[in-house]
Amino acid sequence: MVDKSATLLFVHIPKTAGTTLRVVMERQYLGQSVFTIGHNIEEDRLRLEAMHEQEKRKLRAVFGHMAWGWHEQLAPGQPYAYITVLREPVERVLSLWAHCQLSEHYLGAAVRGMDLTNFITSGVTRRADNAMVRQLCGEDQFINQ
């Protein structure tokens, strides 16, 4: 059982229904201290690291496109617990491919018209290559690649 005083770290793996869970969590933690990781993961890691220890201890949740290991940015001895949502890997990559085809997606221009095989093997993004495993093993540098 998780300590109710623990800071919850939600590892949002892209294309796994994480946005839905984040919305539920935001409602659950309304009015409480929450740290959200935006598009610049490394900048946000440094922002969390730079927070005063007292501020860190007040955090009820940390969520975003991070990897396992962010608990090291919390205050010494601060209790924490991780959660995430996993998805069947092939379905997740199919969803990612379709999502990247959107004109507003940052990879849209690079992948538009690419078939699935080319998308996976092109190297245009590492999010199609064992992304769930990479995040859970502590590698978050690839998320926006």
Side-chain angles (χ1 to χ4, degrees), residues 1 6 8 14 19 22 24-25 37-38 43 48 51 63-64 66 77 93 102 112 114-115 117 119-120 125 129 131 142:
M1 183 158 185
L8 189 65
T19 300
R22 189 198 70 217
V24 169
M25 287 177 58
I37 299 158
E43 183 178 293
L48 178 59
M51 285 175 67
F63 50 81
M66 64 175 159
V93 171
L102 301 174
R112 196 162 300 105
M114 245 187 224
D115 66 24
T117 301
F119 173 71
I120 293 169
T125 180
D129 179 17
F142 76 95

Side-chain angles (χ1 to χ4, degrees), residues 32-141:
Q32 298 179 55
S33 185
V34 171
F35 186 91
T36 303
I37 299 158
H39 293 292
N40 190 328
I41 297 164
E42 190 55 36
E43 183 178 293
D44 286 339
R45 182 195 311 270
L46 293 173
R47 189 168 55 95
L48 178 59
E49 183 179 354
M51 285 175 67
H52 191 277
E53 186 173 316
Q54 289 176 327
E55 287 181 275
K56 292 178 183 183
R57 290 194 184 283
K58 291 178 186 175
L59 287 174
R60 301 310 318 131
V62 176
F63 50 81
H65 291 171
M66 64 175 159
W68 186 88
W70 278 57
H71 64 278
E72 295 172 2
Q73 307 309 318
L74 298 176
Q78 184 172 349
Y80 62 89
Y82 279 93
I83 66 167
T84 194
V85 177
L86 300 177
R87 184 173 182 182
E88 195 281 325
V90 173
E91 291 297 322
R92 195 194 69 76
V93 171
L94 289 171
S95 178
L96 175 64
W97 176 58
H99 186 69
C100 288
Q101 300 292 322
L102 301 174
S103 60
E104 64 272 8
H105 193 276
Y106 73 95
L107 291 175
V111 302
R112 196 162 300 105
M114 245 187 224
D115 66 24
L116 180 60
T117 301
N118 286 336
F119 173 71
I120 293 169
T121 61
S122 70
V124 70
T125 180
R126 291 182 62 203
R127 293 187 334 173
D129 179 17
N130 292 316
M132 292 188 295
V133 173
R134 291 178 192 280
Q135 266 184 272
L136 296 176
C137 289
E139 182 182 334
D140 58 8
Q141 299 87 342

Side-chain angles (χ1 to χ4, degrees), residues 16-28:
T16 62
T19 300
T20 300
L21 182 57
R22 189 198 70 217
V23 169
V24 169
M25 287 177 58
E26 286 172 341
R27 208 172 319 136
Q28 181 69 27

